[in-house]
Amino acid sequence: MLKNNYQTEVAKRFTIYNSLFLDLPFSDINRTGTLLPILASKCEEGYQKDKTPKEIIRNFFDELMGSQSEDDRHNLLFKMVQYVERQVVLFDSIEDAAFDKIHDLKGKGSVAALINRVENDKKKEALIEKLKNFSVRLTLTAHPTQFYPGNVLGIITDLETAIKNNDLGNINLLLQQLGKTGFINKDKPSPLDEAVSLIWFLTNVFYKSIPDILTRLLNRLEIPLHEWDNPGLLKVGFWPGGDRDGNPFVTHDITVKVAERLQKWILRCYYRDIRLIRRRLTFKHVEPIMLKVENGLFNSLFEDQGVYRTKTDLLNDLLEARSALVEHHEGLFLEQLDEFILKVKIFGFHFANMDVRQDSRKHDGLWDEIIEVELGEKELQNYHKLSSEEKISYLFDFDKLSKVSQVKDDFHKEMLKSFDAIQSVQKENGEDGLHRYIISNCRSALHVLEVFKLAQLSLPHNKGELPLDIVPLFETIEDLAQAPKIMEELYKNEAYAKHLKFRKQKQSIMLGFSDGTKDGGYIRANWSILLAKEELTKISRLYDIGVIFFDGRGGPPARGGGNMHNFYASLGPQVENKEIQITIQGQTISSNYGKQVSCTYNLEQLLCAGIENELYPSSEKTLTDSQRVLINKMADVSYQFYKDFKNHPQFLPYLEHVTPLKYFGQVNIGSRPLKRGKDAGLKFDDLRAIPFVGSWAQMKQNIPGFFGVGAALEALKKEGEFEKAQALYNDSLFFRSLLGNSMQSLAKSFYKSTAYLKGNPKYADLWKLMFEEYERTLRLILEVSGMETLLQDNQTSKESIAIREKIVLPLITIQQYAIQTMLDSGKEDPVLQKLILRTMFGIINAARNAA
């Protein structure tokens, strides 16, 4: 049924509306629009005949524009790139407009389906109990993966509405606007710009979706809204303005400004709502209170008079109005007031939970300078000779930072000021506004305690009552393996144990899928993270600590994305399940959470995955010892295969000189630099996961999303254990989800476009290695799953990918034509370089979750 819906609601509509482009009043658009389908068919035919991108493009021009100059030919290619970019926008809008028709909004994974199931199984009380302390936190990050500028996102929103209403005239006008609107930011956004663009999603989507889900859920469970005491069941985290890791543009004053913006916007939302509610509550005993609330919010917003300093002050007045409404007016319009009270409980005066994040090596450097300033260079040399345990004792002997004003390094000064920012945000927005400090690249207990001690010395607090959670982030395969040992050392530390007691025996731990996959390959990273979660759960339970896992995920499977719901549904009882916390960014925000209907659907899927995982344990969610041995064997084989690949002498040169990696720094989609470190040459460890994964996606090779899977399955086959892998696929939801997401990466791969590299004297061996693993993985993943084609069990996703890949095939060819031409000539060409840069936007946007 959904397949037929997809054809009707998306595929056919795209064919119809796409024809409108030909009538747009722009120069040469008719010629471009007429020639583009010819180029597309030439691409398809050419690749079937094993032609190279250069041959396809040149044959196309020789046949149709033989007398045209090279400049004219390239000008047409640029116009075709612009045309395809806008086709992708149109397709996105059509697909988004059809969201409720191509997804089962009340089916598996929805709140409605969950409640029906628990009522049938007499588990309603168990559900209510679970809801009391469960939480889903989506953290919006400013990681640079959104290739649409804000004005284009606005057009997409309006276009979606016009398509829903079948408003042909408005669709035509919006396509004209699209034709005249630039797709590239002239300048990089500032961290404040990034924050403002994401606050749009908070005010227009999350502010509506989260209370809607909770209201429906609580009403079905017959729980009064105003009595609900777990408002954090669904909440939003926020990294813009606080994430300093590798971004020197995020400063303490930016953190404070972002927090101010967040408060201003939530108060605007409240003020808008309260004006509507007050129009109904015009009764004696109630109206004066509602007037006080409206005027109080107005003065806080527009007169800079903080009438309401905390959400408690506001809630007290609202609850007083509620009592009067019940006592004197039989609760008339009570439902509207209760829904507003629920919103205030959820969003408070902070709107979203900010985090501060910084790299552990920066804290090492800061402490070095503090010791040198306070005690001299000789003492610093002595400090460096100490063991990790001795360094911890040494730092804990500091009871104040008396000479901190003498710190000379500007970056270190800024790091110290970040604690002032934390204090300021907590004072104005409440502790919910910013209560976590995340340590990237965490490799020891010392790294956690360095920050803990800095916070103790910097933040005013009663002894033993530090209002800050310190969150280690474990990313590499080695760090994930060491994580349980590191956490046990922290749990045994007397001072830190006292701190955890004050923080209600809760410890958040972040695990990085993106850098884990970059470091260890697809299977090893996913398996290492699951094993780390199990061991961290075990050690935390031993010390009576409630551990909360925060997953650093990206959009594509290569960075922990893809279908995340299945992963959370697959976690067994050996993994703590008090909260689901994930990062979402860029295209994932706009495509999965950018509209109320898609946001509600995906939030419900995550919420229900976490709850059902506990209420409905099954053998599919618990791996047996023999299954673990099998996955571990696959992880070892794939890890070694991936390490050998990374150690290939042409691996880094290929990334640097063949893929569009170097162009990611020029696309102006984020404030953060392309790589960590200041070295001129490319170092793998300094390379960020986003451009790393994005470069493979541009080349349609998608290495991080499947490489090593085929090698691992083939190793099992040689050892006569392939049937065990087939049984594992059928019996384990974790393994099925792992391979299912890998299928997405394979479905978005197209090796024919880079097959010309097999004749390149420098890169032929590397390309053949990649291609052989692609073919092997494709063949064996179908065999192990029992499918005839990729994504056979997910027709909507399969059709969406197929159409998107077809739309951008000319862009893929143009990009590879430019790369191939420069490789063949051995010369850099500014026009061809610009062509590569311009094609990146359409290719990445069409994939939606490729970076």
Side-chain angles (χ1 to χ4, degrees):
M1 181 67 182
L2 288 178
K3 181 184 178 182
N4 293 338
N5 277 358
Y6 194 88
Q7 280 296 321
T8 306
E9 298 294 336
V10 180
K12 288 179 181 172
R13 277 175 184 255
F14 177 67
T15 304
I16 294 165
Y17 293 144
N18 190 35
S19 63
L20 292 174
F21 279 114
L22 291 174
D23 291 328
L24 296 183
F26 304 129
S27 65
D28 263 359
I29 195 157
N30 206 286
R31 185 177 70 142
T32 307
T34 305
L35 291 175
L36 182 61
I38 299 172
L39 175 60
S41 63
K42 292 285 182 190
C43 291
E44 287 182 29
E45 290 168 21
Y47 289 126
Q48 283 171 6
K49 294 175 182 175
D50 295 327
K51 288 186 177 179
T52 70
K54 197 158 84 169
E55 288 172 331
I56 291 169
I57 296 293
R58 289 197 168 167
N59 288 348
F60 167 76
F61 280 127
D62 289 345
E63 282 183 37
L64 296 162
M65 300 175 66
S67 60
Q68 298 279 354
S69 68
E70 194 82 348
D71 284 348
D72 288 337
R73 293 179 175 196
H74 286 152
N75 284 337
L76 178 63
L77 292 181
F78 278 114
K79 284 182 178 173
M80 284 182 165
V81 169
Q82 291 177 313
Y83 196 103
V84 174
E85 280 177 336
R86 284 146 181 82
Q87 285 182 312
V88 173
V89 170
L90 176 62
F91 188 78
D92 280 349
S93 301
I94 292 169
E95 201 170 68
D96 288 344
F99 191 93
D100 56 343
K101 297 196 173 79
I102 60 178
H103 293 85
D104 190 353
L105 301 187
K106 293 186 177 178
K108 188 176 183 298
S110 69
V111 162
L114 174 65
I115 294 176
N116 289 339
R117 188 178 181 188
V118 298
E119 285 178 344
N120 287 336
D121 299 339
K122 306 218 170 4
K123 289 194 174 189
K124 187 174 172 182
E125 291 308 315
L127 171 61
I128 292 171
E129 204 53 41
K130 177 66 181 171
L131 289 170
K132 284 179 183 175
N133 57 24
F134 190 62
S135 174
V136 172
R137 181 193 293 209
L138 289 176
T139 295
L140 311 184
T141 81
H143 293 350
T145 63
Q146 177 54 268
F147 278 67
Y148 285 133
N151 50 9
V152 174
L153 285 170
I155 297 171
I156 291 174
T157 300
D158 295 338
L159 195 52
E160 179 198 336
T161 304
I163 290 165
K164 266 187 175 178
N165 297 331
N166 289 315
D167 185 348
L168 203 60
N170 207 15
I171 292 168
N172 195 45
L173 280 172
L174 289 164
L175 291 180
Q176 289 187 48
Q177 183 187 357
L178 203 60
K180 288 182 173 289
T181 302
F183 272 46
I184 298 179
N185 292 320
K186 290 179 182 175
D187 303 301
K188 279 182 179 289
S190 71
L192 192 58
D193 294 333
E194 291 170 330
V196 169
S197 68
L198 288 185
I199 289 171
W200 185 92
F201 292 99
L202 286 175
T203 56
N204 291 285
V205 184
F206 288 98
Y207 181 74
K208 298 170 184 175
S209 283
I210 290 176
D212 169 58
I213 294 169
L214 258 66
T215 299
R216 285 186 288 108
L217 179 64
L218 296 173
N219 285 342
R220 279 288 306 269
L221 295 172
E222 298 173 323
I223 298 171
L225 300 188
H226 73 290
E227 290 180 7
W228 182 241
D229 61 358
N230 181 17
L233 182 62
L234 294 169
K235 53 189 173 184
V236 187
F238 204 77
W239 272 14
D243 181 10
R244 290 153 166 69
D245 180 15
N247 192 342
F249 307 112
V250 177
T251 58
H252 69 285
D253 59 318
I254 290 290
T255 303
V256 172
K257 282 178 184 173
V258 170
E260 287 171 353
R261 291 289 179 101
L262 285 165
Q263 187 180 95
K264 282 283 184 196
W265 276 102
I266 190 58
L267 291 180
R268 282 182 186 179
C269 291
Y270 291 162
Y271 181 64
R272 182 189 61 207
D273 281 2
I274 208 71
R275 290 186 70 197
L276 294 172
I277 295 167
R278 198 182 67 73
R279 285 166 66 179
R280 301 282 78 82
L281 303 182
T282 52
F283 321 130
K284 189 179 178 184
H285 303 298
V286 179
E287 188 175 38
I289 304 171
M290 298 309 292
L291 267 172
K292 178 190 172 187
V293 171
E294 183 182 334
N295 291 333
L297 289 171
F298 179 89
N299 288 332
S300 296
L301 259 178
F302 304 112
E303 304 293 336
D304 266 345
Q305 297 173 13
V307 177
Y308 291 112
R309 302 302 303 173
T310 68
K311 77 171 180 180
T312 306
D313 297 339
L314 178 55
L315 282 170
N316 286 340
D317 282 349
L318 293 171
L319 290 170
E320 186 186 344
R322 187 185 192 281
S323 296
L325 196 58
V326 171
E327 184 181 346
H328 301 289
H329 305 287
E330 294 79 41
L332 188 60
F333 298 119
L334 187 62
E335 188 179 319
Q336 285 176 258
L337 183 57
D338 277 352
E339 285 176 11
F340 183 69
I341 288 170
L342 185 64
K343 284 180 178 177
V344 176
K345 284 187 173 186
I346 293 166
F347 298 110
F349 273 34
H350 61 284
F351 211 167
N353 309 92
M354 293 181 72
D355 292 331
V356 166
R357 184 171 75 131
Q358 185 54 276
D359 189 284
S360 65
R361 291 162 290 195
K362 303 300 182 186
H363 305 125
D364 289 340
L366 172 58
W367 269 110
D368 279 359
E369 187 170 2
I370 288 171
I371 292 167
E372 189 175 2
V373 165
E374 295 275 345
L375 302 165
E377 189 178 342
K378 192 171 181 182
E379 191 64 20
L380 177 60
Q381 290 170 359
N382 292 335
Y383 173 74
H384 283 164
K385 293 172 187 173
L386 301 177
S387 68
S388 184
E389 292 79 6
E390 289 168 333
K391 284 180 178 177
I392 289 169
S393 298
Y394 188 97
L395 295 183
F396 271 66
D397 284 340
F398 276 81
D399 56 1
K400 59 181 179 178
L401 301 176
S402 56
K403 299 180 182 175
V404 83
S405 59
Q406 294 174 29
V407 167
K408 292 185 176 64
D409 187 289
D410 288 339
F411 192 82
H412 291 158
K413 285 180 184 174
E414 180 51 51
M415 286 178 73
L416 288 166
K417 287 177 183 175
S418 68
F419 289 98
D420 297 335
I422 292 169
Q423 182 188 347
S424 176
V425 174
Q426 289 192 351
K427 183 182 174 188
E428 295 300 322
N429 291 20
E431 195 179 303
D432 282 340
L434 201 173
H435 64 88
R436 299 199 305 195
Y437 195 118
I438 298 163
I439 304 160
S440 305
N441 196 44
C442 185
R443 298 195 158 172
S444 66
L446 174 64
H447 282 154
V448 174
L449 295 173
E450 281 177 336
V451 174
F452 174 61
K453 191 63 188 176
L454 282 169
Q456 274 192 328
L457 297 172
S458 305
L459 295 176
H461 63 282
N462 295 326
K463 194 171 182 182
E465 297 183 359
L466 186 67
L468 189 69
D469 297 311
I470 317 296
V471 183
L473 166 51
F474 302 108
E475 301 175 85
T476 66
I477 303 304
E478 185 183 342
D479 294 345
L480 288 165
Q482 292 299 313
K485 183 182 162 190
I486 291 169
M487 294 314 300
E488 182 166 29
E489 190 180 337
L490 286 168
Y491 294 155
K492 284 180 174 178
N493 182 281
E494 189 179 342
Y496 195 74
K498 278 184 185 173
H499 169 63
L500 286 179
K501 194 171 182 183
F502 173 65
R503 303 303 287 173
K504 299 178 181 174
Q505 293 293 89
K506 287 184 178 180
Q507 172 67 56
S508 295
I509 299 173
M510 191 171 178
L511 304 164
F513 277 82
S514 299
D515 283 288
T517 308
K518 175 179 158 250
D519 181 52
Y522 184 69
I523 299 181
R524 178 80 269 173
N526 280 278
W527 182 233
S528 292
I529 287 170
L530 179 62
L531 291 178
K533 282 185 175 180
E534 290 179 342
E535 289 302 310
L536 288 165
T537 298
K538 193 187 296 180
I539 205 75
S540 299
R541 286 173 179 171
L542 190 65
Y543 287 89
D544 195 29
I545 304 294
V547 67
I548 296 162
F549 294 117
F550 178 20
D551 291 325
R553 292 176 176 271
R559 292 180 45 237
N563 187 336
M564 291 183 287
H565 316 135
N566 284 343
F567 270 117
Y568 287 109
S570 72
L571 299 176
Q574 290 165 293
V575 174
E576 194 64 80
N577 184 35
K578 285 189 172 64
E579 296 192 22
I580 288 177
Q581 296 194 9
I582 55 172
T583 55
I584 55 169
Q585 55 221 249
Q587 289 164 312
T588 315
I589 298 172
S590 59
S591 61
N592 290 3
Y593 299 92
K595 311 290 183 301
Q596 194 177 339
V597 62
S598 58
C599 180
T600 299
Y601 174 82
N602 284 299
L603 275 174
E604 287 190 20
Q605 290 282 320
L606 275 176
L607 179 66
C608 294
I611 290 169
E612 288 186 357
N613 185 36
E614 190 162 312
L615 294 187
Y616 292 95
S618 77
S619 58
E620 276 199 329
K621 300 174 184 179
T622 306
L623 292 164
T624 65
D625 289 345
S626 59
Q627 288 175 330
R628 287 172 176 275
V629 167
L630 199 67
I631 297 174
N632 206 52
K633 189 181 287 186
M634 291 180 67
D636 285 344
V637 171
S638 68
Y639 186 29
Q640 188 57 51
F641 192 64
Y642 179 69
K643 281 203 295 187
D644 291 344
F645 175 59
K646 284 198 302 182
N647 289 330
H648 191 286
Q650 295 310 323
F651 178 78
L652 277 179
Y654 181 83
L655 269 174
E656 191 168 12
H657 302 299
V658 180
T659 77
L661 176 69
K662 57 180 172 281
Y663 299 101
F664 271 83
Q666 300 173 37
V667 292
N668 290 340
I669 59 170
S671 67
R672 201 166 65 164
L674 180 67
K675 61 188 179 73
R676 297 175 174 93
K678 296 179 181 177
D679 294 338
L682 180 64
K683 282 187 179 176
F684 185 75
D685 288 345
D686 287 343
L687 185 57
R688 291 190 176 280
I690 289 168
F692 175 72
V693 172
S695 298
W696 295 114
Q698 288 287 328
M699 298 294 286
K700 289 295 160 188
Q701 291 169 333
N702 290 325
I703 289 298
F706 75 84
F707 198 85
V709 175
L713 289 171
E714 188 173 70
L716 293 183
K717 199 155 207 177
K718 284 177 181 174
E719 292 177 23
E721 293 189 300
F722 196 73
E723 286 185 5
K724 289 183 183 177
Q726 289 173 312
L728 180 65
Y729 182 86
N730 291 322
D731 298 339
S732 165
L733 185 54
F734 168 77
F735 189 62
R736 204 157 56 243
S737 302
L738 191 70
L739 294 197
N741 278 347
S742 202
M743 285 186 194
Q744 279 194 36
S745 296
L746 291 167
K748 293 178 182 179
S749 298
F750 187 63
Y751 275 77
K752 283 181 178 291
S753 66
T754 55
Y756 64 87
L757 288 165
K758 65 185 173 188
N760 185 290
K762 191 172 182 181
Y763 301 112
D765 286 349
L766 190 76
W767 187 87
K768 286 173 188 171
L769 179 62
M770 291 189 286
F771 181 58
E772 283 167 9
E773 177 60 3
Y774 162 75
E775 287 200 305
R776 179 167 44 233
T777 304
L778 179 60
R779 174 171 47 84
L780 293 175
I781 213 168
L782 290 176
E783 191 177 344
V784 82
S785 66
M787 293 186 195
E788 292 178 11
T789 57
L790 291 172
L791 302 173
Q792 193 174 310
D793 58 343
N794 189 344
Q795 287 297 320
T796 297
S797 185
K798 181 181 178 179
E799 289 194 54
S800 176
I801 290 171
I803 296 173
R804 288 172 177 278
E805 293 301 311
K806 189 172 182 177
I807 292 170
V808 293
L809 185 61
L811 295 197
I812 294 163
T813 308
I814 291 168
Q815 184 182 96
Q816 289 304 322
Y817 154 76
I819 291 171
Q820 185 187 0
T821 302
M822 286 197 293
L823 281 174
D824 287 351
S825 68
K827 295 176 187 173
E828 298 289 321
D829 181 315
V831 175
L832 295 177
Q833 286 179 322
K834 190 179 177 186
L835 260 182
I836 293 169
L837 184 67
R838 289 297 287 110
T839 54
M840 288 173 69
F841 292 81
I843 293 171
I844 215 93
N845 287 334
R848 277 212 156 177
N849 65 356

